[in-house]
């Protein structure tokens, strides 16, 4: 009996991924050897040059997005590659976005101080897991799909961003614009240490609360003052007390500043607060609670102004993202892999893609860990199966006829 078409494709893609494994390791060494910290735009652009060349080689149209001056930092370029399939989106062809980032958290000189090296099948070096291993896995998956002549999709889009590690402040509009109209989003961060994919990421909101009081001589007439520092202290206790009220929300008063001199009743204080929530509803509940607390300061004569500084939406665990995960689980089963679905408090570009209304699954790179540390590692033995699995997933999502 002949094997079904899906199993035949799975076998072919694994053969192609294995054939490219040596080249993957060579390319990984080259990428990790480039210092491409978020604040190192020239290094990021070297990685962008490399990504662009690889996409052009397999028939993608490539756009380089250069960001104007005027931001708090100069970012490297973003790279957007697009390739049309043989299925028109109007006739059921699906548009699939793959997203990875080119920047790392490490300063210039780290690649020379702590160069790429292997110990058995384990690779080490700055950014080897986060996200150069995942970025390269995504490109390799596209290459083997090209080699296997898989074209049953509407459009494949590959997005490589320059500043994910510092919140994608410059590239966010590009991410959100690119995500619009996509049927699926696939994040190329590496898998969890146990091999799980990421089904959900908490969203993050940053707030600044400015407390205004009234100054007075602390020794002669303190009763004429209104102590903003005391009001801030009460607020800190009240806001920290929000933790535990909702399972999916955490609140952290991370910075408190107040006063100028010990002999003056404090006239102004400032609190910086971070809220993390797994759902948009949780974020709204916490935001409303912050405003309620600010509206009723504990110290008479003080007032509080709330400013929301930033908001990164949650990547929620939804029925549509679960369907993407089930497709990945089915693809993995062809290779004897058993996948779990993990939720994490960390944020990434996948949050922004999901925030645009796109069903999103993350963690589709190889298995890695110890991100942002000198011990960062990538298990290169996981690369062929994970690359083949990603390619199979893309193929399975390409047509409306495969929607579950």
């Amino acid at each position: 009996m002949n094997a079904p078409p899906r199993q035949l494709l799975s076998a072919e893609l694994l053969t192609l991924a294995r054939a490219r494994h040596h080249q993957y390791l060579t390319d990984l060494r080259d990428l990790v050897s480039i210092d491409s910290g978020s604040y190192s735009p020239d290094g990021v652009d070297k990685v962008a040059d490399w990504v662009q060349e690889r996409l052009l080689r397999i028939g993608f149209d490539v756009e380089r997005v250069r960001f104007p001056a005027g931001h708090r930092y100069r970012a490297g370029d973003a790279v957007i590659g697009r390739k049309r399939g043989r299925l028109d989106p109007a006739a059921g062809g699906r548009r699939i976005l793959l997203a990875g980032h080119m920047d790392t958290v490490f300063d210039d000189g780290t690649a020379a101080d702590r160069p790429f090296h292997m110990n058995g099948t384990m690779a080490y070096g700055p950014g080897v897991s986060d996200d150069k291993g995942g970025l390269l896995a995504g490109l390799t998956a596209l290459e083997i799909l090209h080699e296997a002549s898989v074209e049953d999709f509407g459009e494949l889009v590959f997005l490589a961003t320059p500043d994910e590690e510092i919140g994608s402040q410059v590239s966010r509009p590009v991410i959100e614009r690119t995500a619009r109209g996509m049927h699926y989003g696939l994040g190329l961060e590496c898998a969890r240490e146990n091999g799980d994919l990421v089904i959900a990421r908490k969203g993050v909101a940053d707030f600044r609360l400015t407390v205004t009081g009234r100054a007075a001589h602390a020794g002669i007439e303190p009763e004429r003052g209104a102590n903003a520092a005391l009001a801030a202290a009460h607020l800190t206790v009240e806001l920290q007390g929000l933790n535990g009220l909702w399972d999916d929300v955490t609140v952290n008063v991370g910075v408190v500043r107040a006063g100028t001199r010990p002999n003056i009743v404090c006239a102004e204080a400032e609190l910086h607060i971070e809220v993390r929530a797994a759902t948009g509803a949780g974020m709204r509940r916490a935001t409303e609670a912050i405003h309620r607390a600010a509206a009723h300061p504990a110290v008479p004569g003080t007032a509080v102004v709330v400013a929301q500084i930033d908001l990164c939406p949650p990547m929620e665990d939804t029925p549509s993202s679960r369907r993407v995960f089930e497709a990945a689980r089915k693809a993995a089963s062809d290779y004897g892999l058993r996948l779990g679905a993990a939720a994490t408090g960390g944020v990434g570009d996948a949050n922004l893609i999901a925030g645009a209304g796109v069903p999103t699954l993350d963690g589709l790179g190889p298995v890695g860990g110890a991100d942002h540390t000198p011990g960062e590692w990538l298990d290169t033995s996981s690369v062929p199966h994970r690359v083949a699995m990603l390619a199979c997933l893309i193929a399975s999502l390409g047509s409306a006829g495969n929607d579950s």
Side-chain angles (χ1 to χ4, degrees), residues 36-360:
S36 60
S38 308
Y39 299 110
S40 303
D42 292 339
V44 170
D45 284 346
K46 289 180 182 178
V47 177
D49 291 341
W50 189 93
V51 171
Q52 177 175 338
E53 192 276 329
R54 293 290 286 264
L55 290 170
L56 290 170
R57 196 187 300 173
I58 54 174
F60 277 71
D61 295 324
V62 179
E63 176 188 3
R64 286 284 284 267
V65 180
R66 292 180 169 84
F67 298 99
H71 296 280
R72 284 185 291 172
Y73 58 91
R74 185 169 76 88
D77 295 350
V79 180
I80 307 172
R82 299 180 183 274
K83 185 177 184 179
R84 295 282 187 181
R86 70 177 188 86
L87 301 179
D88 192 281
R94 291 314 195 208
R95 304 180 71 216
I96 303 170
L97 172 63
L98 285 77
H101 63 91
M102 300 176 288
D103 62 320
T104 74
V105 299
F106 301 105
D107 295 332
D108 285 349
T110 307
D113 293 340
R114 186 161 48 81
F116 177 91
H117 64 281
M118 298 282 297
N119 183 1
T121 62
M122 306 298 285
Y124 299 89
V128 69
S129 168
D130 187 17
D131 183 32
K132 291 179 178 179
L135 189 77
L136 179 57
L139 289 167
T140 306
L142 294 177
E143 288 171 346
I144 65 174
L145 285 170
H146 175 74
E147 192 169 349
S149 299
V150 174
E151 297 180 341
D152 289 344
F153 53 83
E155 183 183 34
L156 299 182
V157 179
F158 189 91
L159 172 64
T161 55
D163 58 344
E164 187 271 350
E165 295 291 7
I166 50 176
S168 302
Q169 299 171 52
V170 171
S171 63
R172 179 170 181 166
V174 172
I175 297 167
E176 293 173 334
R177 183 171 67 246
T178 305
R180 292 190 195 108
M182 293 292 155
H183 293 97
Y184 302 107
L186 304 178
L188 299 175
E189 297 284 356
C190 282
R192 305 297 90 178
E193 293 188 11
N194 64 356
D196 285 354
L197 305 185
V198 177
I199 192 71
R201 291 181 176 275
K202 283 188 174 182
V204 178
D206 293 327
F207 296 87
R208 182 181 65 240
L209 273 60
T210 303
V211 185
T212 303
R214 187 168 56 252
H217 193 294
I220 298 174
E221 46 187 11
E223 70 281 357
R224 292 194 175 186
N227 197 317
L230 180 58
H234 280 282
L235 271 173
T236 299
V237 173
E238 184 174 357
L239 295 176
Q240 288 293 144
L242 297 175
N243 288 293
L245 292 183
W246 311 290
D247 290 340
D248 64 339
V249 175
T250 58
V251 178
N252 182 58
V253 181
V255 177
V256 180
R257 299 190 183 99
T260 56
R261 296 172 65 95
N263 60 349
I264 301 175
V265 174
C266 177
E268 187 169 281
E270 189 173 87
L271 293 80
H272 290 233
I273 302 161
E274 181 192 81
V275 175
R276 294 196 181 227
T279 66
M283 189 67 76
R284 287 190 293 274
R285 285 194 294 268
T287 300
E288 290 167 0
I290 290 170
H291 281 276
R292 282 197 302 271
H296 300 96
V299 178
T302 61
V304 184
V305 174
V306 179
Q308 183 170 309
I309 305 304
D310 194 19
L311 173 63
C312 179
M315 172 185 157
E316 298 194 36
D317 184 346
T318 65
S320 56
S321 62
R322 279 282 165 177
R323 287 192 288 272
V324 182
F325 171 72
E326 288 303 318
R329 195 170 62 83
K330 185 180 295 185
S333 69
D334 290 344
Y335 305 122
L337 300 176
R338 299 181 64 180
L339 299 180
T344 177
V347 301
D349 287 342
N351 289 69
L352 302 177
I353 296 168
V358 181
T360 303

